[in-house]
Amino acid sequence: MSLSEIKTRIQKAEELAGRTAGSTRLIAVSKVQPDTRVQAVLEQGHRLFGENKVQEAEGKWPAFKEQFADVKVHLIGPLQTNKVKNAVALFDAIHAVDRPKLARKLAAEIQAQGKSPDMFIQINTGEEPQKAGVMPADADVFIKECRDLDLPIIGLMVIPPVDEEASLHFALLRKIAQRNGLTDLSMGMSSDFERAIALGATHVRVGSAIFGARTY
Ligand SMILES: *Cc1c(COP(=O)(O)O)cnc(C)c1O
C-alpha cells in the first residue's frame, strides 16, 4: 500500500462516519524502517511521524528535521523515566503517559525546558498484565492527577488486545475521554484504522500499511 492510498481510505472512513474531512491526523509510524523508505514518504510531503523508542528516534530525526521543515515526531511507545529529559526535548507529542512517577517527571522536565509536548494517557482497556497503560477503573483519578500537575493532556491512547474486536476497545476509550472532557483519541493501526475513525479517532498510527513490513 502507499501513502496516498492510506490517505484515500482515511477520507472515505471520515465520510462514512459523517465526520469532517481532514479531522483525522495520520501518524506514519516509521520505527525500524530503513531511512530510504522514510525519506520517500517525506518527499511525498508527509510531515507527521511516530516512533516507539527514544534512542532510535534520536538517531534518525534530527537529520531529517534539518532537511525538511515542519516535521513533527510523536513518541507512541512506552517511556522510561530516565529518558524523559530526551523525550521532552525531541518529541512534539507523547502518547503513553501511564503512571504517577512518569507524570511527575514530565511535569518537572516541562518546567526545566520550557517546552511542552502534547500528551495522551494510555489506557489498558483490555486489562492485560503485560501491557502498559492505566486500568480503566483508575483512569479518572489518574487524569485528574495529571491535570493537577498541569500536564498538557489532550487525549487518550489505546493499543487493543490482538485477539479481541478492536472496536469495543475504541468505544471504551472514547467513553472514558468524553466523561473526562478530553477531545483527542489516539487509536487505530494498519489493520483497524478505519474502525477507529468510525469511533472518533483523531490520530491514527499507521506503520506497515504505509512503509511495508518491518524487518527486525
Ligand atoms: C508499531 C506501532 C504502530 C503501527 O503498527 P502497524 O501495525 O505497523 O500499523 C502503532 N502504534 C504503536 C504504539 C506501535 O508501536
Side-chain angles (χ1 to χ4, degrees), residues 27-33 50-53 75-78 95-96 122 157-159 186-193 204-214 216:
I27 302 174
V29 178
S30 48
K31 66 182 184 201
V32 189
Q33 298 289 352
E51 291 284 343
N52 73 335
K53 294 211 169 78
L75 178 66
I76 59 171
H95 286 238
Q122 184 175 355
M157 179 269 215
V158 71
I159 307 170
S186 168
M187 59 190 198
M189 316 197 331
S190 291
S191 57
D192 54 23
F193 66 88
V204 292
R205 311 177 308 264
V206 181
S208 44
I210 295 173
F211 294 103
R214 288 179 290 274
Y216 288 92

Side-chain angles (χ1 to χ4, degrees), residues 119-177:
M119 292 184 191
F120 295 77
I121 292 172
Q122 184 175 355
I123 309 291
N124 186 352
T125 58
E127 305 187 24
E128 297 171 280
Q130 83 287 2
K131 196 168 269 177
V134 183
M135 292 296 161
D138 302 330
D140 296 5
V141 169
F142 184 64
I143 292 166
K144 183 173 184 306
E145 255 183 283
C146 289
R147 285 177 163 156
D148 289 345
L149 288 165
D150 283 333
L151 285 187
I153 303 291
I154 63 165
L156 303 180
M157 179 269 215
V158 71
I159 307 170
V162 283
D163 53 356
E164 289 180 27
E165 171 50 50
S167 292
L168 299 173
H169 296 273
F170 298 154
L172 176 56
L173 195 76
R174 179 171 67 174
K175 192 171 133 196
I176 298 171

Side-chain angles (χ1 to χ4, degrees), residues 1-14 26 41 44-47 193 197 210:
M1 209 138 310
S2 69
L3 179 68
S4 65
E5 281 173 286
I6 297 296
K7 285 186 176 169
T8 304
R9 283 173 60 187
I10 289 173
Q11 278 166 12
K12 287 205 176 117
E14 285 173 337
L26 171 61
V41 169
Q44 289 167 65
H46 197 72
R47 291 293 178 267
F193 66 88
I197 291 168
I210 295 173

Side-chain angles (χ1 to χ4, degrees), residues 54 79-87 99 101-102 105:
V54 177
L79 177 56
Q80 294 165 306
T81 45
N82 63 354
K83 301 259 170 66
V84 164
K85 187 175 185 172
N86 298 30
R99 54 199 192 280
K101 190 181 172 196
L102 176 61
K105 266 257 176 179

Side-chain angles (χ1 to χ4, degrees), residues 84-98:
V84 164
K85 187 175 185 172
N86 298 30
V88 168
L90 179 65
F91 292 103
D92 300 287
I94 294 173
H95 286 238
V97 182
D98 68 349

